[in-house]
Amino acid sequence: MFLQEPQPGLRALSDFTQLKGTVITINGCPLEHKLFHFHLEWSRWSWVRGVISGESFTALAKEVQEALGQLGGVPEEHRTNSLAAAWKNLSEEDHRNQPERYAGLCAHYGMTPSRNNSGRDHENGSVEAAHGHLKQRIRPALLLRGNNDFHSLNENRLFVTQPVLRHNQRNHDLVRQELAYLKQLPQRRCADYCADYEELSVRVSSTSTINVRHVMYSVPSRLIGQMLKVRLWDDRLSGYVGSDEVMSGVRIRGGDGKRRARSINFRPVIGSLVKKPGAFYHATLRNHILPDDEWRQLWQRMCSRLAPQLASRLMVNALKRASEREDISAVAKGLNQLLLELGEPDRQKLLGWLGVKDKRPLPDGRVLQQSLQGYDNLMQKGDEIIDIDTEAFAHTVAIMVLLKPGMSHTHSDSLSPDYAAGQLVQDVNSLKKRARHLLVPAMHEATKRTGQVYNIESSLVFCPSGRLFAQAIVTRSR
């Protein structure tokens, strides 16, 4: 009703809009994004950029600074809408801080901040009308291009920028006149009130995941239980323990109007899953662990042709093999080709293709029990008392000379089966003394002949049959 006359250098306006009815895709996948539109009211100079974070304050702060840098000057006032969407999912404390952050951004550039009232888009009418002209320039450019599919987000951003740059070139004279009224840019961008990212603190759950803005992300299992500092950009996020970056990835948002989403990267979790492949079959995150639709179709084929345990084992080992190479599709295609062969799937062939050794069957576990009488028979001659004579001495020396390093010679004497309890210690000591009387001189003689060193130890042996033996063991040490 009350028309306003624009003034040069007075006001810049910014807002978010979208190309309704036009589907943009990245490598065939729909791109859910909005266009940030910055517009000078007097000369109609514009700057546009595609953002995938929606109407967030982080996106507003980043793109306003980018637009001012492209313009090369600063107007007196910056006006935007109520930014209800940017305020929507914040905590009460952050909700109170956002107007302060917006005021701080404008103060850094020397602009007067202003916002239109909620639901009153006509109060931001200059940029709202410019939205229509912007879309009229982008849609014909898409038609001339022949398709709406792009290789990357950056390629799409460059494409959208071209019609805007041509529009600015046509208004070059007006823009040059308005530049004379603009203030100079500060030497640095604003960092105190608006970083390019939000910083959050989240704890890693027992399932090796974190929850950031209603989206679940997988992290390495070694981080379970730790508190991460997460930096959340418009299109990516990074996690830190102290000053060390421990994870990074693409930022995900819920599609089809859903707030919640999941981003599970199989590479960080496959190491733990290989240790328990059977857990994959009923895993809650199973379909999200599988990298893409090709792998999900492969899993369905495995389940239809193989037993659950074998299917889980094959899939986990296939993911393990895929994690070690860049082209994960080659692993899926190779395994799928083996499953499509006629007849029953060959278990050994499938496992062998993945480099997995099949488990050998365990032995039956039967143990042959030896007769206890054998222990007595081994030392049958020990019952007799043999005098130490020259022949026994020479025989013992010969044995020691033939010993190899680390080998031992054992001399045993048995105790009488009807010994009295009080005589046990005395009899044992007597037998040990008898053995040493034979073995020690023999050790000295063997050392003279060979130059080797021998050690002697004595012990008392209890046999299962109840018999007792006094033993002396001679060992060649080197």
Side-chain angles (χ1 to χ4, degrees), residues 255-429:
D256 300 328
K258 297 179 180 178
R259 293 179 61 190
R260 297 190 177 276
R262 289 172 175 172
S263 174
I264 308 298
N265 185 351
F266 74 96
R267 297 180 190 272
V269 302
I270 193 61
S272 299
L273 198 55
V274 166
K275 300 175 183 178
K276 298 180 179 180
F280 181 78
Y281 194 80
H282 293 292
T284 306
L285 300 176
R286 182 190 63 205
N287 290 335
H288 297 279
I289 293 174
L290 296 172
D292 52 37
D293 290 337
E294 183 180 22
W295 283 83
R296 295 184 187 98
Q297 292 172 7
L298 175 63
W299 171 247
Q300 294 297 328
R301 186 166 287 111
M302 283 184 176
C303 292
S304 65
R305 303 205 63 192
L306 303 172
Q309 185 176 6
L310 179 58
S312 297
R313 188 180 177 199
L314 279 174
M315 178 54 74
V316 169
N317 281 281
L319 290 172
K320 176 66 167 62
R321 184 170 181 178
S323 69
E324 299 168 353
R325 57 181 65 193
E326 291 294 330
D327 186 10
I328 63 174
S329 180
V331 179
K333 286 182 171 64
L335 198 55
N336 190 47
Q337 187 174 356
L338 292 177
L339 288 171
L340 290 175
E341 293 180 355
L342 297 177
E344 287 294 321
D346 189 334
R347 172 192 176 98
Q348 297 298 330
K349 189 174 182 179
L350 290 169
L351 292 173
W353 189 83
L354 291 172
V356 182
K357 295 182 179 180
D358 201 4
K359 296 181 180 178
R360 296 181 179 179
L362 297 174
D364 56 13
R366 290 181 296 178
V367 179
L368 179 62
Q369 179 62 49
Q370 301 291 337
S371 173
L372 298 179
Q373 186 63 31
Y375 290 98
D376 289 338
N377 296 336
L378 288 174
M379 307 302 261
Q380 190 69 33
K381 294 182 179 181
D383 294 336
E384 303 175 4
I385 298 177
I386 302 174
D387 294 332
I388 301 174
D389 54 20
T390 305
E391 184 178 354
F393 178 82
H395 179 70
T396 304
V397 172
I399 292 175
M400 293 183 184
V401 171
L402 295 174
L403 288 177
K404 294 181 179 180
M407 294 183 63
S408 302
H409 165 63
T410 302
H411 177 85
S412 299
D413 286 317
S414 67
L415 280 77
S416 174
D418 56 350
Y419 64 85
Q423 288 293 111
L424 178 60
V425 176
Q426 183 178 348
D427 292 345
V428 170
N429 290 336

Side-chain angles (χ1 to χ4, degrees), residues 85-363:
W87 267 237
K88 186 176 181 181
N89 298 322
L90 299 177
S91 65
E92 183 177 349
E93 180 179 358
D94 288 341
H95 194 286
R96 291 194 301 267
N97 291 338
Q98 290 294 61
E100 180 183 342
R101 294 176 69 190
Y102 176 56
L105 168 65
C106 292
H108 178 79
Y109 283 91
M111 298 184 296
T112 302
S114 66
R115 292 187 293 153
N116 59 281
N117 295 308
S118 180
R120 303 289 183 178
D121 292 341
H122 64 274
E123 295 179 359
N124 211 16
S126 294
V127 72
E128 292 290 343
H131 286 340
H133 301 306
L134 171 68
K135 296 170 187 179
Q136 289 175 6
R137 290 190 286 269
I138 294 177
R139 286 195 175 100
L142 286 170
L143 291 174
L144 292 174
R145 185 175 184 270
N147 65 78
N148 297 355
D149 188 61
F150 296 86
H151 293 297
S152 66
L153 178 62
N154 286 334
E155 183 185 2
N156 173 258
R157 285 173 170 171
L158 288 174
F159 173 81
V160 170
T161 303
Q162 297 308 311
V164 176
L165 293 178
R166 289 194 293 269
H167 166 74
N168 292 338
Q169 185 63 33
R170 286 193 293 270
N171 291 335
H172 175 71
D173 292 339
L174 288 176
V175 174
R176 187 179 59 182
Q177 293 176 37
E178 185 163 21
L179 283 174
Y181 291 89
L182 300 179
K183 294 179 289 186
Q184 289 187 349
L185 287 167
Q187 292 184 350
R188 298 181 183 85
R189 288 192 175 191
C190 176
D192 296 333
Y193 294 94
C194 52
D196 287 347
Y197 57 84
E198 296 180 67
E199 195 165 89
L200 310 169
S201 294
V202 295
R203 187 175 297 279
V204 181
S205 70
S206 59
T207 58
S208 189
T209 58
I210 57 175
N211 198 306
V212 180
R213 292 284 186 260
H214 305 292
V215 178
M216 179 185 292
Y217 296 89
S218 60
V219 299
S221 57
R222 69 178 185 277
L223 301 175
I224 290 177
Q226 294 199 42
M227 185 68 74
L228 297 189
K229 183 191 298 179
V230 176
R231 291 178 178 176
L232 192 62
W233 281 270
D234 175 38
D235 55 352
R236 68 190 191 279
L237 78 164
S238 297
Y240 297 82
V241 175
S243 59
D244 297 328
E245 182 179 304
V246 293
M247 62 83 63
S248 62
V250 178
R251 184 175 179 180
I252 302 298
R253 291 172 178 81
D256 300 328
K258 297 179 180 178
R259 293 179 61 190
R260 297 190 177 276
R262 289 172 175 172
S263 174
I264 308 298
N265 185 351
F266 74 96
R267 297 180 190 272
V269 302
I270 193 61
S272 299
L273 198 55
V274 166
K275 300 175 183 178
K276 298 180 179 180
F280 181 78
Y281 194 80
H282 293 292
T284 306
L285 300 176
R286 182 190 63 205
N287 290 335
H288 297 279
I289 293 174
L290 296 172
D292 52 37
D293 290 337
E294 183 180 22
W295 283 83
R296 295 184 187 98
Q297 292 172 7
L298 175 63
W299 171 247
Q300 294 297 328
R301 186 166 287 111
M302 283 184 176
C303 292
S304 65
R305 303 205 63 192
L306 303 172
Q309 185 176 6
L310 179 58
S312 297
R313 188 180 177 199
L314 279 174
M315 178 54 74
V316 169
N317 281 281
L319 290 172
K320 176 66 167 62
R321 184 170 181 178
S323 69
E324 299 168 353
R325 57 181 65 193
E326 291 294 330
D327 186 10
I328 63 174
S329 180
V331 179
K333 286 182 171 64
L335 198 55
N336 190 47
Q337 187 174 356
L338 292 177
L339 288 171
L340 290 175
E341 293 180 355
L342 297 177
E344 287 294 321
D346 189 334
R347 172 192 176 98
Q348 297 298 330
K349 189 174 182 179
L350 290 169
L351 292 173
W353 189 83
L354 291 172
V356 182
K357 295 182 179 180
D358 201 4
K359 296 181 180 178
R360 296 181 179 179
L362 297 174

Side-chain angles (χ1 to χ4, degrees), residues 55-70:
E55 298 187 34
S56 66
F57 177 77
T58 302
L60 172 72
K62 178 181 178 181
E63 301 307 334
V64 164
Q65 295 187 88
E66 179 66 25
L68 292 174
Q70 294 290 333

